[in-house]
Amino acid sequence: MGPKGTWIGLVAPEKRRLRNLKAGEALFRQGDAAVAVCRVDRGRVRLVRHLEDGASVALHVANAGETFAEAALWADVYHCDCVAEAALTTVTMVPKAALLDALEGDADASLALARGLAAQVRELRARLEIRNIRSAPERIMAWLRMQASGDPPAVRLERPWTEIATEVGLTHEALYRSLAVLAHTGRIARGNRTVTLLGPAGQARG
Amino acid sequence: MGPKGTWIGLVAPEKRRLRNLKAGEALFRQGDAAVAVCRVDRGRVRLVRHLEDGASVALHVANAGETFAEAALWADVYHCDCVAEAALTTVTMVPKAALLDALEGDADASLALARGLAAQVRELRARLEIRNIRSAPERIMAWLRMQASGDPPAVRLERPWTEIATEVGLTHEALYRSLAVLAHTGRIARGNRTVTLLGPAGQARG
DNA sequence: CGAAACGTTGACCGTTTTCAATTACAGTGG
DNA sequence: CCACTGTAATTGAAAACGGTCAACGTTTCG
């Protein structure tokens, strides 16, 4: 996706802090003081916001090499939980104040930061767009198209469907049913952990 | 909300371009080459993305003083339409290349840009969170809580409900019905262009 | 003053959610 | 190595909810 983490190096290594997390362990909780911006070194973390009724929303998923919680730079508290997804997850925490100091003198790094944020804006907008599709099958098709790559557009599933269901805003049951419909209609073909998009005049790209 | 438009001044006025728009007129369409980042001087614009089935999503609304299409700085084409909402809308268009040049030498301005983008990320995440609430009345309550301010938390409505409906992802009928339910239940009180949040133990803030 | 958009409510229909049950599979400890 | 347990995948049936269509009063604005 390009150089997203350029600005991390601005802060002297001894000022950064490394954290190792087990799967499910939290790096911070919503409401905690926003003290640092982070990067995933290994594994994967997920930013989750909890609703009052107990449901939760995955706001962001950051894989190895990606940065997250940039928005915390100008916020007092974190507004979501950060939990590790993979068993061996390592995160670099960059103290907010130090980073802000460094950024103030470095236009390139600040621009890189802005660029990363712009990418997030795009991603979030795309997700919002998907949520506006009422029909479950169409919504899933849209999601698949967004994820697909290759000439016969295909998607390799790295996570369970059940997780994808919540990401697109459906129950897993509805998701499975829709998948079945799409397969019967011949719009997709399901492999082991793969989905291939079929259909003439179908492969529009976002 | 703070100095969002700091970076606009970086580009010499003669390089900028002013556009006057009538209500409903488009500034650009999705697919057009992304040539400029913009600021609303007067009126209001809306960024809309059209789905294949004809439906549309409001991705962003920018009021006078706010900037928009920052993401276009690193994109080749606009990925949504921009249409004026108010009758007399004026927009300053800042050529992409010129702005990029200027930003590269100015850390403060780049940081300001990043900050504005971070705010957008937060806003989009909030909207996503709201969309994850299945129940229409609860979703509306969440939206209201987010907008509310004051000790008896209240919301002043600057726009028609019909518009709010699409923002929260409901039809206006469903919205009106839910409002009626919430009012009957005593959870809200509706004034002329105001809604007051009631209910004991209700005023949680985001 | 008239047209257009907003606000509001009713009835019906379709989809999704819910609840429930079953199969498949991966990891765990005996 | 295998029973055992929990999660993922899948499908069914019924209920609930929001969408759609429709009608109508009201406000706004040219």
Side-chain angles (χ1 to χ4, degrees):
Chain A
M1 278 256 84
K4 259 191 184 176
T6 321
W7 47 266
I8 277 265
L10 290 178
V11 174
E14 61 272 19
K15 287 191 180 170
R16 308 180 204 151
R17 196 152 47 107
L18 284 176
R19 278 283 307 265
N20 285 304
L21 301 169
K22 297 189 279 270
E25 196 179 344
L27 183 62
F28 53 75
R29 296 282 181 190
Q30 78 188 65
D32 290 357
V35 293
V37 179
C38 314
R39 181 189 59 189
V40 182
D41 297 318
R42 195 177 44 181
R44 168 160 60 215
V45 302
R46 170 189 299 235
L47 301 183
V48 183
R49 177 118 192 218
H50 297 285
L51 305 171
E52 296 166 10
D53 70 348
S56 60
V57 208
L59 296 174
H60 190 57
V61 174
N63 289 288
E66 296 180 352
T67 58
F68 64 94
E70 295 95 337
L73 258 185
W74 297 280
D76 292 331
V77 299
Y78 293 110
H79 38 288
C80 53
D81 288 10
C82 170
V83 298
E85 271 204 21
L88 295 164
T89 296
T90 309
V91 174
T92 298
M93 301 185 74
V94 182
K96 199 166 115 175
L99 179 56
L100 223 35
D101 279 354
L103 283 170
E104 271 161 17
D106 190 328
D108 283 352
S110 296
L111 254 190
L113 174 61
R115 185 177 187 163
L117 287 166
Q120 283 193 43
V121 168
R122 266 204 297 279
E123 191 212 308
L124 286 167
R125 284 186 178 164
R127 283 174 69 173
L128 218 34
E129 181 180 355
I130 282 196
R131 286 303 223 301
N132 258 43
I133 300 174
R134 320 268 199 200
S135 153
E138 291 310 318
R139 187 134 118 206
I140 292 162
M141 279 303 287
W143 185 87
L144 287 170
R145 265 188 238 113
M146 227 165 83
Q147 310 288 321
S149 60
D151 188 354
V155 183
R156 269 207 64 77
L157 302 168
E158 312 289 5
R159 7 174 138 281
W161 280 113
T162 197
E163 201 168 292
I164 293 165
T166 75
E167 178 176 326
V168 299
L170 291 171
T171 59
H172 58 277
E173 294 97 323
L175 173 66
Y176 291 130
R177 274 189 268 270
S178 301
L179 285 173
V181 169
L182 289 170
H184 281 153
T185 322
R187 300 182 62 187
I188 65 173
R190 300 184 59 184
N192 195 353
R193 259 174 186 81
T194 319
V195 175
T196 310
L197 308 204
L198 310 175
Q203 39 269 45
R205 49 147 301 286
Chain B
M1 281 259 80
K4 259 192 189 178
T6 321
W7 47 268
I8 277 266
L10 290 178
V11 173
E14 62 271 20
K15 286 191 180 170
R16 307 181 205 150
R17 196 152 47 106
L18 284 175
R19 276 283 308 265
N20 286 303
L21 300 169
K22 297 189 280 268
E25 195 178 347
L27 182 63
F28 54 76
R29 296 283 182 188
Q30 78 189 65
D32 289 357
V35 294
V37 179
C38 314
R39 181 188 60 189
V40 182
D41 297 319
R42 197 177 42 182
R44 169 161 59 215
V45 302
R46 172 189 298 235
L47 300 184
V48 183
R49 177 119 194 217
H50 297 285
L51 305 170
E52 296 166 8
D53 69 349
S56 61
V57 209
L59 296 176
H60 191 59
V61 174
N63 289 289
E66 296 178 352
T67 56
F68 63 96
E70 295 97 337
L73 258 186
W74 297 281
D76 293 331
V77 299
Y78 293 112
H79 38 288
C80 54
D81 288 11
C82 169
V83 299
E85 272 204 18
L88 295 164
T89 295
T90 310
V91 175
T92 299
M93 300 184 75
V94 182
K96 197 165 114 176
L99 179 56
L100 224 34
D101 279 354
L103 283 171
E104 272 160 16
D106 190 328
D108 282 353
S110 296
L111 253 190
L113 174 62
R115 184 177 186 163
L117 287 167
Q120 283 193 42
V121 167
R122 267 203 296 279
E123 192 211 310
L124 286 167
R125 284 185 177 167
R127 282 174 70 174
L128 215 36
E129 182 180 354
I130 283 195
R131 284 307 215 325
N132 257 43
I133 301 174
R134 320 266 200 200
S135 151
E138 291 312 317
R139 193 187 296 186
I140 291 162
M141 280 303 288
W143 185 88
L144 287 170
R145 265 188 239 112
M146 229 164 81
Q147 312 287 321
S149 60
D151 188 356
V155 182
R156 272 209 63 77
L157 303 168
E158 311 289 3
R159 10 175 135 281
W161 281 113
T162 196
E163 200 167 294
I164 294 165
T166 75
E167 178 175 325
V168 299
L170 293 170
T171 59
H172 57 277
E173 295 98 323
L175 174 66
Y176 289 131
R177 273 189 273 269
S178 300
L179 285 173
V181 169
L182 289 170
H184 281 153
T185 322
R187 301 184 60 188
I188 66 173
R190 299 185 58 184
N192 195 354
R193 260 177 184 77
T194 318
V195 175
T196 310
L197 307 205
L198 311 174
Q203 37 268 46
R205 51 149 301 288

